[in-house]
Amino acid sequence: TFMSMKSIQKAIFFSGLFFSVQLCVAQSAKDLQERARSFMQQNDFNNASLLLKRASIAEPNNIEITKDLSLAFYFQKEYDKGLEVIKLILDKEEADDQCYQIAGNLYKQLEQTKECEKLFKKGIKKFPKSGALYNELGELQWAQKNVDAIQQWEKGIENDPNYSKNYYNACKYYQITAD
């Protein structure tokens, strides 16, 4: 029984050690993300992306860290890297409408308008109440001289009346058209 007691003590020790390491990693990822957000507010996207890369290694399934890292790359004009990062989470259940918005804007900057439009439509299908996605799709269509853009802004107003950019773009549209 002495050996089994020692074995139990070892098991408890290593379990405790494992959980404390996990807690430290999780805490440090959160701390890294907070520090990175502070850098982003100061327009220091290089340092922000360095911290966010470390945070994403510690917590690879953390959607918020992934979105922040993708945005940091966006603001650094490293659109390919940002898209590579955000694509990893688009098909996950936890992906939200912001993930689609970020990815779409990265496609837009890369001038991949067909992929961008497909992505916004996929996002709207998954999040039909997202005024931001309707607005982004409308802006993309308007930039392509597609007058169907007004339909997106009107749907955005209908489905998410609190999102103001759809009103703004619809007003601009109606100001320059005969309607």
Side-chain angles (χ1 to χ4, degrees):
T1 59
F2 178 71
M3 276 306 255
S4 63
M5 186 61 144
K6 233 180 182 180
S7 297
I8 291 172
Q9 287 175 334
K10 278 185 184 179
I12 291 171
F13 172 76
F14 285 115
S15 295
L17 182 63
F18 174 76
F19 288 118
S20 64
V21 166
Q22 289 296 95
L23 184 61
C24 288
V25 168
Q27 185 60 42
S28 68
K30 184 176 171 42
D31 290 342
L32 289 168
Q33 182 182 21
E34 287 176 14
R35 288 182 23 220
R37 284 180 173 173
S38 177
F39 278 125
M40 288 175 76
Q41 289 173 345
Q42 299 166 27
N43 293 328
D44 185 351
F45 303 109
N46 287 327
N47 280 321
S49 62
L50 289 173
L51 292 175
L52 289 164
K53 284 178 196 175
R54 287 179 36 204
S56 70
I57 290 168
E59 287 190 27
N61 294 322
N62 185 316
I63 299 284
E64 294 303 314
I65 290 172
T66 303
K67 288 191 305 190
D68 286 351
L69 179 56
S70 190
L71 279 173
F73 284 134
Y74 177 88
F75 290 121
Q76 288 175 294
K77 297 183 179 0
E78 294 186 37
Y79 307 122
D80 287 320
K81 285 183 181 179
L83 191 57
E84 184 181 319
V85 168
I86 200 75
K87 278 175 140 181
L88 296 173
I89 60 171
L90 284 177
D91 291 327
K92 292 188 176 189
E93 187 64 34
E94 303 86 3
D96 59 12
D97 61 334
Q98 282 184 334
C99 295
Y100 286 89
Q101 188 178 12
I102 294 166
N105 282 308
L106 287 161
Y107 275 123
K108 197 185 305 182
Q109 292 300 319
L110 291 167
E111 298 179 6
Q112 296 180 18
T113 54
K114 285 186 174 147
E115 287 299 316
C116 181
E117 187 167 352
K118 278 196 311 193
L119 188 82
F120 284 143
K121 287 179 177 179
K122 182 179 175 183
I124 287 170
K125 189 174 181 179
K126 188 172 179 181
F127 301 100
K129 298 287 185 191
S130 175
L133 291 176
Y134 285 106
N135 180 65
E136 295 289 352
L137 179 56
E139 286 181 356
L140 177 69
Q141 290 176 337
W142 187 246
Q144 297 171 327
K145 311 282 190 255
N146 183 343
V147 293
D148 292 340
I150 187 60
Q151 295 171 0
Q152 303 308 321
W153 295 320
E154 288 175 347
K155 287 180 193 173
I157 292 168
E158 180 184 326
N159 288 296
D160 189 0
N162 293 323
Y163 191 79
S164 63
K165 284 187 176 182
N166 287 306
Y167 294 98
Y168 174 76
N169 284 316
C171 286
K172 279 183 19 184
Y173 171 85
Y174 284 123
Q175 182 182 8
I176 62 171
T177 62
D179 289 342

Coordinates of all heavy atoms in Angstrom, one line a residue, residues 27-99:
Q27 N -4.3 32.1 -19.3 CA -4.1 33.4 -18.8 C -3.2 34.2 -19.7 O -3.4 35.4 -20.0 CB -3.7 33.4 -17.4 CG -3.7 34.7 -16.7 CD -5.0 35.4 -16.7 OE1 -6.0 34.8 -16.4 NE2 -5.0 36.7 -17.0
S28 N -2.1 33.6 -20.0 CA -1.1 34.4 -20.8 C -1.6 34.7 -22.2 O -1.3 35.8 -22.7 CB 0.2 33.6 -20.9 OG 0.1 32.5 -21.7
A29 N -2.4 33.8 -22.8 CA -3.0 34.1 -24.1 C -3.9 35.3 -24.0 O -3.9 36.2 -24.8 CB -3.8 32.9 -24.6
K30 N -4.7 35.4 -22.9 CA -5.6 36.5 -22.7 C -4.8 37.8 -22.4 O -5.2 38.8 -23.0 CB -6.5 36.2 -21.5 CG -7.6 37.2 -21.2 CD -8.4 36.7 -20.0 CE -9.4 37.7 -19.4 NZ -10.1 38.6 -20.2
D31 N -3.8 37.7 -21.6 CA -2.9 38.8 -21.4 C -2.2 39.3 -22.7 O -2.2 40.5 -23.0 CB -1.8 38.5 -20.4 CG -2.4 38.3 -19.0 OD1 -3.5 38.8 -18.7 OD2 -1.7 37.7 -18.1
L32 N -1.7 38.4 -23.5 CA -1.1 38.7 -24.8 C -2.1 39.4 -25.7 O -1.8 40.4 -26.3 CB -0.6 37.5 -25.5 CG 0.6 36.8 -24.8 CD1 0.9 35.4 -25.4 CD2 1.9 37.7 -25.0
Q33 N -3.3 38.9 -25.7 CA -4.4 39.6 -26.5 C -4.7 41.0 -26.1 O -4.8 41.9 -26.9 CB -5.6 38.7 -26.6 CG -6.7 39.3 -27.5 CD -8.0 38.5 -27.5 OE1 -8.2 37.7 -26.5 NE2 -8.8 38.6 -28.5
E34 N -4.8 41.2 -24.8 CA -5.1 42.5 -24.2 C -3.9 43.5 -24.6 O -4.2 44.6 -25.0 CB -5.3 42.4 -22.8 CG -6.7 41.8 -22.4 CD -6.9 41.6 -20.9 OE1 -6.2 42.2 -20.1 OE2 -7.9 40.9 -20.6
R35 N -2.7 43.0 -24.4 CA -1.6 43.9 -24.7 C -1.5 44.2 -26.2 O -1.2 45.3 -26.6 CB -0.3 43.2 -24.3 CG -0.1 43.2 -22.8 CD 1.2 42.7 -22.2 NE 2.3 42.6 -23.0 CZ 3.2 41.5 -23.1 NH1 3.0 40.5 -22.3 NH2 4.2 41.5 -23.8
A36 N -1.9 43.2 -27.1 CA -1.9 43.3 -28.5 C -3.0 44.4 -28.9 O -2.7 45.2 -29.7 CB -2.2 42.0 -29.2
R37 N -4.1 44.3 -28.2 CA -5.2 45.3 -28.5 C -4.7 46.7 -28.2 O -5.1 47.7 -28.9 CB -6.5 44.9 -27.8 CG -7.2 43.7 -28.5 CD -8.5 43.4 -27.7 NE -9.2 42.4 -28.5 CZ -10.3 41.8 -28.1 NH1 -10.8 42.0 -26.8 NH2 -10.9 40.9 -28.8
S38 N -4.0 46.8 -27.1 CA -3.4 48.1 -26.7 C -2.5 48.6 -27.8 O -2.5 49.8 -28.2 CB -2.7 48.0 -25.4 OG -2.1 49.2 -25.0
F39 N -1.6 47.7 -28.3 CA -0.8 48.1 -29.4 C -1.6 48.5 -30.7 O -1.2 49.5 -31.3 CB 0.2 47.0 -29.8 CG 1.4 46.9 -28.9 CD1 1.7 45.7 -28.3 CD2 2.3 47.9 -28.8 CE1 2.8 45.5 -27.5 CE2 3.4 47.8 -27.9 CZ 3.7 46.6 -27.3
M40 N -2.7 47.8 -30.9 CA -3.5 48.1 -32.1 C -4.1 49.5 -32.0 O -4.2 50.3 -32.9 CB -4.5 47.1 -32.3 CG -3.9 45.8 -32.9 SD -5.1 44.4 -33.0 CE -6.0 44.9 -34.5
Q41 N -4.5 49.9 -30.7 CA -5.1 51.2 -30.5 C -4.1 52.3 -30.7 O -4.4 53.4 -31.1 CB -5.7 51.3 -29.1 CG -6.9 50.5 -28.9 CD -7.4 50.4 -27.5 OE1 -6.6 50.8 -26.5 NE2 -8.6 50.0 -27.3
Q42 N -2.8 52.0 -30.6 CA -1.7 52.9 -30.8 C -1.2 52.8 -32.3 O -0.1 53.4 -32.6 CB -0.6 52.6 -29.8 CG -1.0 52.8 -28.4 CD 0.1 52.2 -27.5 OE1 1.2 52.1 -27.8 NE2 -0.4 51.8 -26.3
N43 N -1.9 52.1 -33.1 CA -1.5 51.8 -34.5 C -0.1 51.1 -34.6 O 0.6 51.3 -35.6 CB -1.5 53.1 -35.3 CG -2.8 53.7 -35.5 OD1 -3.8 53.0 -35.5 ND2 -2.9 55.0 -35.5
D44 N 0.2 50.4 -33.6 CA 1.5 49.6 -33.7 C 1.1 48.1 -34.0 O 1.0 47.3 -33.1 CB 2.2 49.6 -32.3 CG 3.6 48.9 -32.4 OD1 3.9 48.2 -33.4 OD2 4.3 49.1 -31.4
F45 N 0.8 47.9 -35.3 CA 0.3 46.6 -35.7 C 1.4 45.5 -35.8 O 1.0 44.3 -35.7 CB -0.5 46.8 -37.0 CG -1.6 47.8 -37.0 CD1 -1.5 49.0 -37.6 CD2 -2.7 47.5 -36.2 CE1 -2.5 50.0 -37.5 CE2 -3.7 48.5 -36.1 CZ -3.6 49.7 -36.7
N46 N 2.6 45.9 -36.0 CA 3.7 44.9 -36.0 C 3.8 44.2 -34.6 O 3.8 43.0 -34.5 CB 5.0 45.6 -36.3 CG 5.1 46.0 -37.8 OD1 4.6 45.3 -38.6 ND2 5.8 47.0 -38.0
N47 N 3.9 45.0 -33.5 CA 3.9 44.4 -32.2 C 2.7 43.7 -31.9 O 2.7 42.6 -31.2 CB 4.3 45.5 -31.1 CG 5.8 45.8 -31.1 OD1 6.6 44.9 -31.3 ND2 6.1 47.0 -30.9
A48 N 1.5 44.2 -32.3 CA 0.3 43.6 -32.0 C 0.2 42.2 -32.7 O -0.2 41.2 -32.0 CB -0.9 44.4 -32.6
S49 N 0.7 42.1 -33.9 CA 0.6 40.8 -34.6 C 1.6 39.8 -34.0 O 1.3 38.6 -33.9 CB 0.9 40.9 -36.1 OG 2.1 41.5 -36.4
L50 N 2.7 40.3 -33.5 CA 3.7 39.4 -32.8 C 3.1 38.8 -31.6 O 3.1 37.6 -31.3 CB 5.0 40.1 -32.4 CG 5.9 40.5 -33.6 CD1 7.0 41.4 -33.1 CD2 6.5 39.3 -34.3
L51 N 2.4 39.6 -30.8 CA 1.8 39.1 -29.6 C 0.6 38.2 -29.9 O 0.4 37.2 -29.2 CB 1.3 40.3 -28.7 CG 2.4 41.1 -28.1 CD1 1.8 42.3 -27.3 CD2 3.2 40.3 -27.1
L52 N -0.2 38.6 -30.9 CA -1.3 37.7 -31.3 C -0.9 36.4 -31.8 O -1.6 35.4 -31.6 CB -2.2 38.5 -32.2 CG -3.0 39.7 -31.6 CD1 -3.5 40.6 -32.6 CD2 -4.1 39.2 -30.7
K53 N 0.2 36.3 -32.5 CA 0.7 35.0 -33.0 C 1.0 34.1 -31.8 O 0.7 33.0 -31.8 CB 2.0 35.2 -33.9 CG 1.7 35.7 -35.3 CD 3.1 35.9 -36.0 CE 2.9 36.8 -37.2 NZ 4.2 37.1 -37.8
R54 N 1.7 34.7 -30.8 CA 2.0 33.9 -29.6 C 0.7 33.5 -28.9 O 0.6 32.3 -28.4 CB 2.9 34.7 -28.7 CG 4.3 34.9 -29.2 CD 5.2 35.7 -28.3 NE 5.0 35.6 -26.9 CZ 5.4 36.5 -26.0 NH1 6.0 37.6 -26.5 NH2 5.2 36.3 -24.7
A55 N -0.3 34.4 -28.8 CA -1.5 34.0 -28.2 C -2.3 32.9 -29.0 O -2.9 32.0 -28.4 CB -2.4 35.3 -28.1
S56 N -2.2 33.0 -30.3 CA -2.9 32.0 -31.1 C -2.2 30.6 -31.0 O -2.9 29.6 -31.2 CB -3.0 32.4 -32.5 OG -1.8 32.4 -33.2
I57 N -0.9 30.6 -30.7 CA -0.2 29.3 -30.5 C -0.7 28.7 -29.2 O -1.0 27.5 -29.1 CB 1.3 29.5 -30.5 CG1 1.7 29.8 -32.0 CG2 2.0 28.3 -30.0 CD1 3.2 30.3 -32.1
A58 N -0.9 29.6 -28.2 CA -1.3 29.1 -26.9 C -2.8 28.7 -26.9 O -3.2 27.7 -26.3 CB -1.2 30.2 -25.8
E59 N -3.6 29.4 -27.7 CA -5.0 29.1 -27.8 C -5.4 29.1 -29.3 O -6.1 30.0 -29.8 CB -5.9 30.1 -27.0 CG -5.8 29.9 -25.5 CD -6.8 30.8 -24.8 OE1 -7.9 31.0 -25.4 OE2 -6.6 31.1 -23.7
P60 N -5.1 28.0 -30.0 CA -5.4 28.0 -31.5 C -6.9 28.0 -31.8 O -7.2 28.4 -33.0 CB -4.7 26.7 -31.9 CG -4.5 25.9 -30.7 CD -4.5 26.8 -29.6
N61 N -7.8 27.7 -30.9 CA -9.2 27.7 -31.2 C -9.9 28.9 -30.7 O -11.2 28.9 -30.8 CB -9.8 26.4 -30.7 CG -9.3 25.1 -31.3 OD1 -9.1 25.1 -32.5 ND2 -9.1 24.1 -30.5
N62 N -9.2 29.9 -30.3 CA -9.8 31.1 -29.8 C -10.2 32.0 -31.0 O -9.3 32.6 -31.6 CB -8.9 31.8 -28.8 CG -9.5 33.0 -28.1 OD1 -10.2 33.8 -28.8 ND2 -9.3 33.1 -26.8
I63 N -11.5 32.1 -31.2 CA -12.0 32.9 -32.4 C -11.6 34.4 -32.3 O -11.2 35.0 -33.2 CB -13.5 32.8 -32.5 CG1 -13.9 31.3 -32.7 CG2 -14.1 33.7 -33.6 CD1 -13.7 30.8 -34.1
E64 N -11.7 35.0 -31.1 CA -11.4 36.4 -30.9 C -9.9 36.7 -31.2 O -9.6 37.7 -31.8 CB -11.8 36.8 -29.4 CG -13.3 36.7 -29.2 CD -14.1 37.6 -30.1 OE1 -13.8 38.7 -30.4 OE2 -15.1 37.0 -30.6
I65 N -9.0 35.8 -30.7 CA -7.6 36.0 -31.0 C -7.4 35.9 -32.5 O -6.6 36.7 -33.1 CB -6.7 35.0 -30.2 CG1 -6.8 35.3 -28.7 CG2 -5.3 35.0 -30.8 CD1 -6.1 34.3 -27.9
T66 N -8.0 35.0 -33.2 CA -7.8 34.8 -34.6 C -8.4 36.0 -35.4 O -7.7 36.5 -36.3 CB -8.6 33.5 -35.1 OG1 -8.1 32.4 -34.4 CG2 -8.4 33.3 -36.6
K67 N -9.5 36.6 -35.0 CA -10.0 37.8 -35.6 C -9.1 38.9 -35.4 O -8.8 39.7 -36.4 CB -11.4 38.1 -35.1 CG -12.5 37.2 -35.5 CD -13.9 37.7 -35.2 CE -14.2 38.0 -33.7 NZ -15.6 38.2 -33.5
D68 N -8.6 39.1 -34.2 CA -7.6 40.2 -33.9 C -6.4 40.1 -34.8 O -5.9 41.1 -35.3 CB -7.3 40.3 -32.4 CG -8.4 40.8 -31.6 OD1 -9.4 41.3 -32.1 OD2 -8.3 40.7 -30.3
L69 N -5.8 38.9 -34.9 CA -4.6 38.6 -35.7 C -4.9 39.0 -37.1 O -4.1 39.6 -37.8 CB -4.1 37.2 -35.5 CG -2.9 36.8 -36.3 CD1 -1.7 37.8 -36.0 CD2 -2.5 35.4 -36.0
S70 N -6.0 38.5 -37.6 CA -6.4 38.8 -39.0 C -6.5 40.3 -39.2 O -6.0 40.8 -40.3 CB -7.7 38.1 -39.4 OG -7.9 38.1 -40.7
L71 N -7.1 41.0 -38.3 CA -7.2 42.5 -38.4 C -5.9 43.2 -38.4 O -5.6 44.1 -39.1 CB -8.1 43.0 -37.3 CG -9.6 42.9 -37.5 CD1 -10.4 43.3 -36.3 CD2 -10.1 43.7 -38.7
A72 N -5.0 42.7 -37.5 CA -3.7 43.3 -37.4 C -3.0 43.1 -38.8 O -2.3 44.1 -39.3 CB -2.8 42.6 -36.3
F73 N -3.1 42.0 -39.4 CA -2.5 41.8 -40.7 C -3.2 42.7 -41.8 O -2.5 43.3 -42.6 CB -2.6 40.4 -41.2 CG -1.6 39.4 -40.6 CD1 -2.0 38.2 -40.1 CD2 -0.3 39.8 -40.4 CE1 -1.1 37.3 -39.5 CE2 0.6 38.9 -39.9 CZ 0.2 37.7 -39.4
Y74 N -4.5 42.9 -41.6 CA -5.2 43.8 -42.5 C -4.7 45.2 -42.4 O -4.4 45.8 -43.4 CB -6.7 43.8 -42.2 CG -7.6 44.7 -43.0 CD1 -8.1 44.3 -44.2 CD2 -7.8 46.0 -42.5 CE1 -8.9 45.2 -44.9 CE2 -8.6 46.9 -43.3 CZ -9.1 46.5 -44.4 OH -9.9 47.4 -45.2
F75 N -4.5 45.7 -41.2 CA -4.0 47.0 -41.0 C -2.5 47.2 -41.4 O -2.1 48.3 -41.7 CB -4.2 47.5 -39.6 CG -5.7 47.7 -39.3 CD1 -6.3 47.1 -38.3 CD2 -6.4 48.6 -40.0 CE1 -7.6 47.3 -38.0 CE2 -7.8 48.9 -39.8 CZ -8.4 48.2 -38.7
Q76 N -1.8 46.1 -41.5 CA -0.4 46.1 -41.9 C -0.4 46.0 -43.5 O 0.7 46.0 -44.0 CB 0.4 45.0 -41.3 CG 0.7 45.2 -39.9 CD 1.4 43.9 -39.3 OE1 0.8 42.9 -39.2 NE2 2.6 44.1 -38.9
K77 N -1.5 45.9 -44.1 CA -1.7 45.6 -45.5 C -1.0 44.3 -46.0 O -0.6 44.1 -47.1 CB -1.1 46.8 -46.3 CG -1.8 48.1 -46.1 CD -1.2 49.2 -46.9 CE -1.9 50.6 -46.8 NZ -2.9 50.8 -45.9
E78 N -1.0 43.4 -45.0 CA -0.6 42.0 -45.3 C -1.9 41.1 -45.5 O -2.2 40.3 -44.7 CB 0.3 41.5 -44.2 CG 1.6 42.2 -44.1 CD 2.6 41.6 -43.1 OE1 2.6 40.4 -43.0 OE2 3.3 42.4 -42.4
Y79 N -2.6 41.4 -46.6 CA -3.9 40.9 -46.8 C -3.9 39.3 -47.0 O -4.8 38.7 -46.5 CB -4.6 41.5 -48.0 CG -4.6 43.0 -47.9 CD1 -4.0 43.8 -48.9 CD2 -5.2 43.7 -46.8 CE1 -4.1 45.2 -48.8 CE2 -5.2 45.1 -46.7 CZ -4.6 45.8 -47.7 OH -4.6 47.2 -47.6
D80 N -2.9 38.8 -47.7 CA -2.8 37.4 -47.9 C -2.6 36.7 -46.5 O -3.3 35.6 -46.3 CB -1.6 37.0 -48.7 CG -1.8 37.3 -50.2 OD1 -2.9 37.1 -50.7 OD2 -0.9 37.8 -50.9
K81 N -1.8 37.2 -45.6 CA -1.6 36.6 -44.3 C -2.9 36.7 -43.5 O -3.3 35.7 -42.8 CB -0.5 37.3 -43.5 CG 0.9 36.9 -44.0 CD 1.9 37.6 -43.1 CE 3.3 37.3 -43.6 NZ 4.3 38.0 -42.7
G82 N -3.6 37.8 -43.6 CA -4.8 38.0 -42.8 C -5.9 37.0 -43.3 O -6.6 36.4 -42.5
L83 N -6.0 36.8 -44.6 CA -6.9 35.9 -45.2 C -6.6 34.5 -44.8 O -7.5 33.7 -44.5 CB -7.0 36.1 -46.7 CG -8.1 35.4 -47.4 CD1 -9.5 35.8 -46.9 CD2 -8.0 35.7 -48.9
E84 N -5.3 34.1 -44.8 CA -4.9 32.8 -44.4 C -5.3 32.5 -43.0 O -5.8 31.4 -42.7 CB -3.4 32.7 -44.6 CG -2.8 31.4 -44.3 CD -1.3 31.4 -44.5 OE1 -0.8 32.1 -45.4 OE2 -0.6 30.8 -43.6
V85 N -5.2 33.4 -42.1 CA -5.5 33.3 -40.7 C -7.1 33.1 -40.5 O -7.5 32.2 -39.9 CB -5.0 34.4 -39.9 CG1 -5.6 34.4 -38.5 CG2 -3.5 34.4 -39.8
I86 N -7.8 34.0 -41.1 CA -9.3 34.0 -40.9 C -10.0 32.9 -41.6 O -11.0 32.4 -41.1 CB -9.9 35.4 -41.3 CG1 -11.3 35.6 -40.7 CG2 -10.0 35.5 -42.8 CD1 -11.2 36.0 -39.2
K87 N -9.4 32.4 -42.7 CA -10.0 31.2 -43.4 C -10.0 30.0 -42.5 O -10.9 29.1 -42.6 CB -9.2 30.9 -44.6 CG -9.6 31.7 -45.8 CD -8.7 31.4 -47.0 CE -9.4 31.3 -48.3 NZ -8.5 31.0 -49.4
L88 N -9.1 29.9 -41.5 CA -9.0 28.7 -40.6 C -10.3 28.6 -39.8 O -10.5 27.5 -39.3 CB -7.8 28.9 -39.7 CG -6.4 28.8 -40.4 CD1 -5.3 29.1 -39.4 CD2 -6.2 27.5 -41.1
I89 N -11.0 29.7 -39.6 CA -12.1 29.6 -38.6 C -13.5 29.8 -39.3 O -14.5 29.6 -38.7 CB -12.0 30.6 -37.5 CG1 -11.9 32.0 -38.0 CG2 -10.8 30.3 -36.6 CD1 -12.0 33.1 -36.9
L90 N -13.5 30.1 -40.6 CA -14.8 30.4 -41.2 C -15.8 29.3 -41.2 O -17.0 29.5 -41.1 CB -14.6 30.9 -42.7 CG -14.1 32.3 -42.8 CD1 -13.8 32.6 -44.3 CD2 -15.0 33.3 -42.2
D91 N -15.3 28.1 -41.3 CA -16.2 26.9 -41.3 C -16.5 26.4 -39.9 O -17.3 25.4 -39.8 CB -15.7 25.8 -42.2 CG -15.7 26.3 -43.7 OD1 -16.7 27.0 -44.1 OD2 -14.8 25.9 -44.4
K92 N -16.0 27.0 -38.9 CA -16.2 26.5 -37.5 C -17.6 27.1 -37.1 O -18.0 28.2 -37.5 CB -15.1 27.0 -36.6 CG -13.8 26.3 -36.9 CD -12.8 26.6 -35.8 CE -11.5 25.8 -36.1 NZ -10.6 25.9 -35.0
E93 N -18.2 26.3 -36.2 CA -19.5 26.7 -35.7 C -19.5 28.0 -35.0 O -20.4 28.8 -35.0 CB -20.1 25.6 -34.8 CG -21.5 25.7 -34.3 CD -22.5 25.7 -35.4 OE1 -22.3 25.0 -36.4 OE2 -23.5 26.5 -35.3
E94 N -18.4 28.3 -34.3 CA -18.2 29.5 -33.5 C -18.0 30.7 -34.3 O -18.0 31.9 -33.8 CB -17.0 29.3 -32.5 CG -17.1 28.2 -31.6 CD -16.5 26.9 -32.2 OE1 -16.0 26.9 -33.3 OE2 -16.6 25.9 -31.5
A95 N -17.7 30.6 -35.6 CA -17.5 31.8 -36.4 C -18.7 32.7 -36.4 O -19.8 32.2 -36.5 CB -17.1 31.3 -37.9
D96 N -18.5 34.0 -36.3 CA -19.6 34.9 -36.2 C -19.6 35.8 -37.5 O -18.7 35.6 -38.4 CB -19.5 35.8 -35.0 CG -18.3 36.6 -34.8 OD1 -17.5 36.7 -35.8 OD2 -18.0 37.1 -33.7
D97 N -20.5 36.7 -37.6 CA -20.6 37.5 -38.8 C -19.4 38.4 -39.0 O -19.0 38.7 -40.1 CB -21.9 38.4 -38.8 CG -22.0 39.3 -37.6 OD1 -21.4 39.1 -36.5 OD2 -22.7 40.3 -37.8
Q98 N -18.7 38.8 -37.9 CA -17.5 39.6 -38.0 C -16.4 38.8 -38.8 O -15.6 39.4 -39.5 CB -16.9 40.0 -36.6 CG -17.7 41.1 -36.0 CD -17.0 41.5 -34.7 OE1 -16.4 40.7 -34.0 NE2 -17.2 42.8 -34.3
C99 N -16.3 37.5 -38.6 CA -15.3 36.7 -39.3 C -15.6 36.8 -40.8 O -14.6 37.0 -41.5 CB -15.5 35.2 -38.9 SG -15.1 34.9 -37.1

